[in-house]
Amino acid sequence: MHILILGGTTEARRLAEHLADGAPRGLRVTNSLAGRVAAPRLPPGEVRVGGFGGPEGLAAWLRAHAVDALIDATHPFAGTISFNAARAAAAAHVPLLALRRPGWVPVAGDDWHAAASLEEAAELLPALGARVFLTTGRMGLAAFAALDRQWFLVRSVDAPEPPHPPRMEVLLDRGPFTLEGERELLRRHRVDVLVTKDSGGAATAPKLTAAREAGLPVVVVRRPPVPEGVPVVADPAAAARWLTDRLDRA
């Protein structure tokens, strides 16, 4: 049985590790990475890097490599590849599962402001603060490029490229992050507003606690929906059980 995991996330890597540790005989796992990170953490199993050429290219790859099941374990905001995967799986008649970590939920004391997109987040900022901690990654900074009155601390794994905000400091770092570290970062840079995507998970959640403690507003960009009709699980163990069920039936 050949499994293709569309990965690049912690959940995808943990699923690959889970399958590598207890994989039934004859189970082949291929991990696909988009290639947007210069030095990704490679999962066990076969690894391919780069795009497929849209849904038609992915469907052709599924057929050519006799893929029996496709798992979309990409980032919650990698919307294009998720819809491409749904179209490709349908065309190639390959079962598809989406693995998505649960989103964050506000708690008492949070001052969250929801935004449907990065552009909408940028529109909210002038009324919320002047010193912005921007943790939405290096992609999409063009949405904030017109804001010349705000100062931005941009944290990303790799260095961003233009267009980006004119007043900006870049912090190259990779999670997981600690609560104490996030507290110190907000204090040292005198941050007065945080912008984040609703990525979910524990690795980058301490910034939300630090912002709550400091009484800072947080602009939270809502994640795009999973394509209609695609089953969703919230953790690698559930994805492994889904695969085991399919393998048992096969």
Side-chain angles (χ1 to χ4, degrees):
M1 190 174 186
H2 187 192
I3 312 302
L4 175 62
I5 301 175
L6 303 178
T9 60
T10 300
E11 289 74 23
R13 190 171 65 255
R14 287 176 179 167
L15 174 59
E17 291 168 351
H18 184 89
L19 296 177
D21 290 340
R25 182 177 299 175
L27 183 65
R28 175 188 173 195
V29 178
T30 300
N31 301 273
S32 177
L33 307 181
R36 290 180 176 176
V37 176
R41 296 173 179 171
L42 298 180
E46 301 175 35
V47 177
R48 70 172 302 280
V49 178
F52 291 92
E56 295 80 9
L58 177 53
W61 200 96
L62 296 176
R63 296 189 192 99
H65 294 81
V67 172
D68 298 287
L70 175 62
I71 296 185
D72 173 17
T74 56
H75 192 276
F77 282 84
T80 299
I81 184 60
S82 294
F83 281 89
N84 286 351
R87 292 174 58 189
H93 304 289
V94 172
L96 169 64
L97 177 74
L99 171 56
R100 290 288 186 276
R101 70 188 77 150
W104 290 316
V105 178
V107 300
D110 281 328
D111 180 16
W112 285 14
H113 302 257
S117 64
L118 292 175
E119 289 75 16
E120 187 172 312
E123 293 174 0
L124 295 174
L125 283 179
L128 294 176
R131 296 184 65 83
V132 184
F133 183 23
L134 188 59
T135 64
T136 56
R138 66 187 179 92
M139 308 297 289
L141 292 186
F144 304 89
L147 298 178
D148 56 5
R149 293 180 180 272
Q150 274 70 32
W151 174 87
F152 289 84
L153 175 65
V154 175
R155 182 165 68 191
S156 65
V157 176
D158 295 318
E161 298 179 355
H164 51 61
R167 302 174 61 211
M168 179 183 76
E169 179 177 335
V170 176
L171 175 62
L172 298 181
D173 204 354
R174 187 201 301 262
F177 303 105
T178 66
L179 177 56
E180 185 56 38
E182 299 294 61
R183 287 169 175 158
E184 171 59 20
L185 188 148
L186 296 181
R187 184 198 63 78
R188 184 171 70 251
H189 293 280
R190 295 180 289 116
V191 170
D192 56 17
V193 58
L194 167 67
V195 180
T196 183
K197 293 177 178 177
D198 180 17
S199 300
T204 60
K207 62 189 174 187
L208 301 174
T209 303
R212 182 190 317 126
E213 292 176 348
L216 303 184
V218 180
V219 178
V220 181
V221 181
R222 295 191 296 268
R223 58 174 64 178
V226 172
E228 187 175 356
V230 177
V232 182
V233 295
D235 59 76
R241 288 194 297 271
W242 181 84
L243 283 173
T244 300
D245 289 344
R246 304 206 69 84
L247 185 59
D248 289 344
R249 288 200 295 270

